[in-house]
Amino acid sequence: MSRRATTLLVVVVLAAALASVAGDGDLLNTGGVPALREFFAAALHPRVDRAFLQVVGDAALTTLAYAVLGTVLSIALGLVGGVLVSQTWWRASGALPRTWVSRWLATRALMAVPRGVHEVVWGLVLLSVLGLDPLVAVLAIGLPFGAVCSKVFSEILDETPRAPFEALRASGAGRLAALLYGLAPLALPDLLSYSAYRFECAIRSAAILGIVGAGGLGFQLALSFQSLRYDEIWTLLAALVVLCGATDGWSSAVRRRCTGSRARPERDRVLGWLIVAAVALVPVSVVLLRLDPTVLVQDRARDLTVTLAQQAWPPEADWGVLVSLSLDTLMMSVIAAALSFAGAVLLAVLAARPADDGRTVARRVLGWCTRQALLFFRAVPSPVWALLVLFVWFPGPLAGALALALYNVGILGRLMAEAVEDLDRRPQRALLAAGVSPARAFLYAGLPTVWHRFVAYGMYRWEVIVRETVVVGVVGAGGLGRLLAEQTASFHYAGASATLLALIALTFLVDLTSAAVRRSGSARLSSRAVRSRSERAPGYRRSPRTL
Amino acid sequence: MRLFTFHLAPVRHALALSVCLAIALLTSACGTSSAAEPDPVLRVGAIPDQDPEVLQRLNDKLTRHLAAELDVKVEYVPVTDYTAAVTAFRVGDLDLVWFGGLTGVQAQLQVPDAEPIAQRDIDAVFRSVFIANKASGVEPFDDTAGLRALAGHTFTFGSETSTSGRLMPQFFLAEAGLALTDFRGEAGFSGSHDSTVTLVESASYDAGVLNEQVWEDRLADGSVDLEKVQEVWRTPTYHDYHWVARPDVDERFGDGFTDRIRDTLLALDPANREDSEILELFGATRFIPTEASNYQDIEKIGREVGLVR
């Protein structure tokens, strides 16, 4: 796609989406301002008595443990899946091109299945197979994240220089051996970097998985939320902010040391210890959750799986209705993605702290405040945002989009700020030396070089937003999420499986679209990318990856 | 090119250590879990609609009482979601659950021979309250047909499977000839009774419906702004919350165990301080007997509304 065609397409889709979700009449509701004020006023007097802090502390540990084990599982699945979904692996199989390409496409499509289902939905499905077991939450995070990891890991493997791999193959090494010794070492910094990012996502997921009996901060938040105990909600949110902040800090450090422009992972002692610290959490988590994987192989799990499969298959739906609801969901996700993209670009520029510029004190303070705001945006789960939005916004798809946008601004803004920090500053310095104002220097010499990364992040996030439309039911947003909630509430498994199929199809569609847009963005930069590739240390990653 | 040859050595050690630990844990876990059930544990769950956080966090009062009276091990399993609770009950991970009217019916349908054993005194004559924002122009009315005044307004239920916040109100709306499509926009699901009050008070929704008990409670503690929101109608009475036990508890804990649970619950005495604390967690003054036939209407309405299949 040419650049102009892409721009036109984006504008048309946005306009159509806005037209479809804009309801009749008023949007803003001033009547809810007192309720909103009451909520924020409670931030000044959170509930901090000893008994409650004990509850919150235990819950935070549980959430952390789920996130740790969910991440470990997803990385393990990702390593196996990543190899199986990579072109490198299939190409080296020795089969004819037509055969290996079709096999590769089939495995790739298969990976879209777990990805299209939100962690909360996974939780409910697993609950009906495994019962109330800590494994439910671990698997609910690990399975969909494992599929995401597979996809990203495969892209990493395919982008890694293949010469050592080919050399080993030529000298008779097997596919797996060649991969382990020729490809894996070169890809390791990128694999590590992405795994670190997955961990911070897992913390946020673990925080909303409470409803399926998993416990943790999500469970406590759901409880306090049901009776609107704002003072308790604030204490729990504070715990979430601390937990997210710490994880994000750790993940930033790891990623910067693995794949940043100044990274030397092979010489980095601190990186080693950062990883050891995380790995040490694994056995602690297993003990804390009293995890017992044997439930997976018990007869009950097998029988319940068979029963569930029989109830859920064949899928049953009014396909016409399903298509129209899918469109609603798609439109809502487009608006949410566009809003969060725009907001994130603005905030990221404020939040970034480039290494070497002489920023004024006021600018530093503003930057710090923006970073804390972004942390708050992403630490507050989207169902909470949905209720807050509803205080001052009339119900409808736009309210749903707004709630999702607020949550995702926090995630996108941070990623984009990192991209800005990681930027080659030389062109900007040249302009500054010529007397151009800092803002202008950034606009003309900074922004153009990070823009393709911004777009890539935004596109990846869009796919996630499609899934997340499932968890903002309170706003009367309709779409597939509403239908799915109704079907799970009435245990209509055949209907739910049809709705999930629609969501999976939607995810795959968005995946294809975003891949096409990202390609059109990076094509323009390819000449530069090729040049810079030769200048970088091995393992430096050109294209950003986050989901 | 030297890659990860030395400095990630601590990683390798830690990995090896954690693998050893995991294996040790797994083997020990296998040892305990494969044994038959020598010392069965009664797993109890409860999701009250009112102040759920109080019960979930103070559940040891209930478990200690049940354990002492029934002389078995009792474990409280925290769940916040009714769908999750029904599922856990079906697969056998919860033995005794405090369900709402609709979810109790769903549980009884999914576990044949599961028995409703007790309800609160107020559950035999439960009602829902329709409320409206004063600025919406919806005025109080006194019969089911009056619900038609809600047409063209925005409206929110409580949570999807709530009997008093969803099922019965939807039934009465249907009786009045009002379809969900007659509201302005999609009907909302606020998620809880308290949220419904707040969202109607803030005029985010013109009108909503909630459980009588929560409404009375909010009126009593003065946390409702009656300048902004008013009660427009109270539904006729119906049966709501009740305890349901799995049929296999008699087999696991001995004949007549279901009856012993029932007796223990019914014997909770509001005059006794410890007992009354437990009753208070459920917003009850007493538990009274109940039977499956009390919920036939709910099942019928559930089928009409599409929540029971």
Side-chain angles (χ1 to χ4, degrees):
Chain A
M1 252 189 294
S2 80
R3 186 178 177 183
R4 190 164 299 168
T6 315
T7 317
L8 193 70
L9 185 76
V10 168
V11 171
V12 169
V13 169
L14 266 180
L18 261 179
S20 76
V21 299
D24 47 341
D26 304 333
L27 292 173
L28 268 179
N29 168 23
T30 48
V33 174
L36 204 62
R37 200 182 300 136
E38 196 189 330
F39 175 79
F40 282 101
L44 298 176
H45 47 86
R47 187 174 163 196
V48 285
D49 56 280
R50 180 186 282 268
F52 191 63
L53 286 182
Q54 178 81 47
V55 167
V56 175
D58 288 350
L61 277 181
T62 309
T63 299
L64 180 66
Y66 282 124
V68 167
L69 295 180
T71 312
V72 168
L73 178 64
S74 64
I75 294 172
L77 290 176
L79 287 175
V80 176
V83 171
L84 293 181
V85 188
S86 70
Q87 291 189 24
T88 310
W89 177 258
W90 289 107
R91 186 181 288 132
S93 68
L96 292 170
R98 200 188 306 151
T99 322
W100 76 252
V101 168
S102 61
R103 281 182 195 158
W104 168 70
L105 272 178
T107 45
R108 197 178 168 95
L110 199 68
M111 287 296 162
V113 174
R115 268 191 295 140
V117 180
H118 193 274
E119 296 92 273
V120 170
V121 181
W122 267 115
L124 282 174
V125 171
L126 289 163
L127 179 73
S128 50
V129 172
L130 298 175
L132 291 167
D133 193 282
L135 257 185
V136 167
V138 174
L139 290 173
I141 297 172
L143 293 178
F145 280 24
V148 176
C149 280
S150 300
K151 178 184 155 182
V152 174
F153 285 0
S154 74
E155 287 170 6
I156 291 175
L157 289 176
D158 286 340
E159 285 177 30
T160 304
R162 238 193 311 270
F165 175 78
E166 302 289 0
L168 284 174
R169 288 288 286 159
S171 57
R175 262 202 290 179
L176 192 61
L179 196 114
L180 281 177
Y181 290 93
L183 208 56
L186 288 171
L188 194 54
D190 283 299
L191 297 176
L192 269 178
S193 166
Y194 188 73
S195 304
Y197 173 72
R198 231 39 259 172
F199 182 40
E200 57 170 277
C201 297
I203 286 275
R204 291 191 288 264
S205 271
I208 58 166
L209 268 175
I211 60 154
V212 291
L217 288 173
F219 174 69
Q220 299 299 340
L221 199 60
L223 282 181
S224 299
F225 198 62
Q226 268 174 26
S227 33
L228 300 184
R229 296 286 307 265
Y230 295 146
D231 54 340
E232 294 177 358
I233 292 179
W234 276 103
T235 314
L236 291 161
L237 287 183
L240 263 179
V241 166
V242 170
L243 203 56
C244 280
T247 323
D248 291 359
W250 175 86
S251 140
S252 276
V254 169
R255 282 181 295 139
R256 204 181 296 264
R257 285 167 186 282
C258 280
T259 47
S261 56
R262 286 173 289 275
R264 307 296 298 273
E266 66 274 23
R267 305 256 167 87
D268 199 333
R269 224 170 221 296
V270 180
L271 178 63
W273 285 111
L274 281 173
I275 293 167
V276 169
V279 173
L281 286 176
V282 177
V284 177
S285 304
V286 172
V287 175
L288 195 74
L289 296 178
R290 281 179 282 171
L291 211 61
D292 174 15
T294 50
V295 295
L296 284 176
V297 292
Q298 279 166 11
D299 291 348
R300 189 183 80 162
R302 198 195 52 218
D303 297 344
L304 288 172
T305 311
V306 172
T307 317
L308 183 69
Q310 282 166 347
Q311 285 171 326
W313 203 263
E316 191 184 302
D318 182 338
W319 298 97
V321 171
L322 212 54
V323 168
S324 110
L325 290 179
S326 300
L327 270 179
D328 289 350
T329 295
L330 187 66
M331 290 307 167
M332 188 159 94
S333 74
V334 167
I335 301 284
L339 284 176
S340 55
F341 182 79
V345 170
L346 290 177
L347 292 177
V349 174
L350 290 179
R353 40 189 167 173
D356 58 345
D357 68 343
R359 289 174 302 156
T360 60
V361 174
R363 176 68 184 71
R364 277 168 202 275
V365 171
L366 183 65
W368 188 85
C369 292
T370 314
R371 283 194 297 280
Q372 302 318 305
L374 288 175
L375 173 58
F376 182 72
F377 278 129
R378 64 179 179 269
V380 175
S382 27
V384 177
W385 279 124
L387 186 78
L388 294 181
V389 164
L390 207 48
F391 282 157
V392 288
W393 203 272
F394 284 111
L398 208 50
L402 205 59
L404 288 174
L406 280 169
Y407 173 66
N408 283 288
V409 153
I411 298 165
L412 268 181
R414 183 171 101 83
L415 292 170
M416 289 179 179
E418 282 184 356
V420 172
E421 287 167 13
D422 210 35
L423 180 73
D424 184 354
R425 302 264 309 154
R426 284 171 298 185
Q428 281 189 73
R429 274 202 295 256
L431 285 187
L432 286 171
V436 175
S437 73
R440 237 172 239 195
F442 176 75
L443 275 180
Y444 286 93
L447 199 56
T449 54
V450 282
W451 187 251
H452 71 289
R453 287 183 69 175
F454 282 12
V455 171
Y457 286 143
M459 285 292 159
Y460 275 129
R461 213 55 220 170
W462 178 27
E463 192 187 314
V464 182
I465 290 174
V466 169
R467 266 202 309 268
E468 278 176 352
T469 52
V470 170
V471 294
V472 289
V474 59
V475 293
L480 292 174
R482 181 84 273 290
L483 180 64
L484 189 64
E486 197 70 12
Q487 286 162 335
T488 46
S490 58
F491 300 95
H492 185 15
Y493 295 109
S497 64
T499 310
L500 285 177
L501 280 180
L503 269 167
I504 290 164
L506 215 52
T507 306
F508 198 57
L509 190 78
V510 169
D511 183 22
L512 291 179
T513 316
S514 94
V517 172
R518 275 181 284 133
R519 264 199 302 279
S520 93
S522 55
R524 285 181 287 118
L525 290 155
S526 59
S527 58
R528 183 162 59 230
V530 168
R531 209 168 42 243
S532 68
R533 189 175 292 210
S534 55
E535 294 162 10
R536 302 286 192 190
Y540 178 74
R541 190 49 46 200
R542 279 72 40 188
S543 49
R545 268 180 224 90
T546 40
L547 266 169
Chain B
M1 192 165 27
R2 207 160 57 100
L3 275 171
F4 300 102
T5 45
F6 175 67
H7 287 297
L8 286 181
V11 178
R12 262 183 270 134
H13 295 164
L15 272 174
L17 188 70
S18 59
V19 167
C20 293
L21 260 174
I23 290 171
L25 278 168
L26 277 185
T27 43
S28 67
C30 292
T32 53
S33 65
S34 56
E37 203 179 37
D39 198 7
V41 179
L42 183 73
R43 312 237 293 172
V44 182
I47 312 174
D49 251 4
Q50 191 178 22
D51 302 329
E53 77 285 0
V54 180
L55 174 64
Q56 304 285 14
R57 290 173 192 150
L58 298 178
N59 59 68
D60 55 322
K61 283 184 188 165
L62 174 73
T63 47
R64 250 182 303 159
H65 183 81
L66 287 177
E69 295 290 318
L70 298 169
D71 198 25
V72 293
K73 274 193 185 160
V74 179
E75 189 187 344
Y76 186 86
V77 183
V79 192
T80 52
D81 182 83
Y82 266 129
T83 311
V86 173
T87 307
F89 184 78
R90 171 166 60 82
V91 303
D93 276 356
L94 286 173
D95 300 313
L96 176 67
V97 184
W98 175 245
F99 279 119
L102 171 64
T103 43
V105 166
Q106 288 179 330
Q108 289 168 55
L109 288 172
Q110 295 192 17
V111 182
D113 300 326
E115 226 185 312
I117 55 176
Q119 60 180 339
R120 297 171 302 186
D121 44 0
I122 51 170
D123 290 315
V125 286
F126 217 75
R127 294 161 182 267
S128 301
V129 179
F130 281 83
I131 56 172
N133 189 286
K134 283 206 167 166
S136 69
V138 179
E139 293 302 322
F141 46 89
D142 47 29
D143 60 354
T144 315
L147 284 170
R148 278 198 286 272
L150 295 173
H153 289 283
T154 53
F155 182 83
T156 184
F157 293 107
S159 75
E160 274 101 5
T161 43
S162 169
T163 307
S164 52
R166 161 80 194 274
L167 181 75
M168 295 312 291
Q170 193 170 338
F171 168 71
F172 290 115
L173 285 168
E175 280 218 316
L178 207 65
L180 296 189
T181 46
D182 292 332
F183 295 123
R184 197 178 126 207
E186 299 230 4
F189 288 89
S190 72
S192 73
H193 302 289
D194 285 293
S195 307
T196 301
V197 177
T198 310
L199 287 172
V200 174
E201 194 176 88
S202 67
S204 298
Y205 286 100
D206 291 338
V209 62
L210 76 155
N211 145 345
E212 178 185 49
Q213 192 196 7
V214 174
W215 176 247
E216 292 289 346
D217 206 56
R218 294 283 302 257
L219 287 179
D221 69 14
S223 59
V224 185
D225 186 350
L226 291 171
E227 295 290 307
K228 291 183 180 159
V229 58
Q230 63 179 343
E231 173 181 340
V232 290
W233 187 57
R234 237 169 244 232
T235 65
T237 65
Y238 50 84
H239 283 274
D240 202 345
Y241 297 87
H242 51 284
W243 285 103
V244 186
R246 274 184 66 86
D248 58 2
V249 291
D250 280 0
E251 199 179 300
R252 287 174 51 215
F253 297 92
D255 278 344
F257 193 76
T258 313
D259 292 330
R260 284 178 60 205
I261 299 175
R262 180 188 290 116
D263 294 343
T264 308
L265 290 170
L266 299 187
L268 287 168
D269 179 3
N272 175 313
R273 200 176 59 85
E274 252 177 52
D275 286 8
S276 76
E277 278 178 1
I278 295 171
L279 287 167
E280 212 173 287
L281 291 176
F282 292 88
T285 42
R286 268 219 107 95
F287 283 116
I288 60 172
T290 190
E291 54 192 55
S293 62
N294 285 340
Y295 308 97
Q296 279 167 357
D297 281 350
I298 290 188
E299 182 181 339
K300 192 172 128 263
I301 295 164
R303 285 190 196 281
E304 282 169 21
V305 172
L307 284 169
V308 174
R309 307 188 68 93

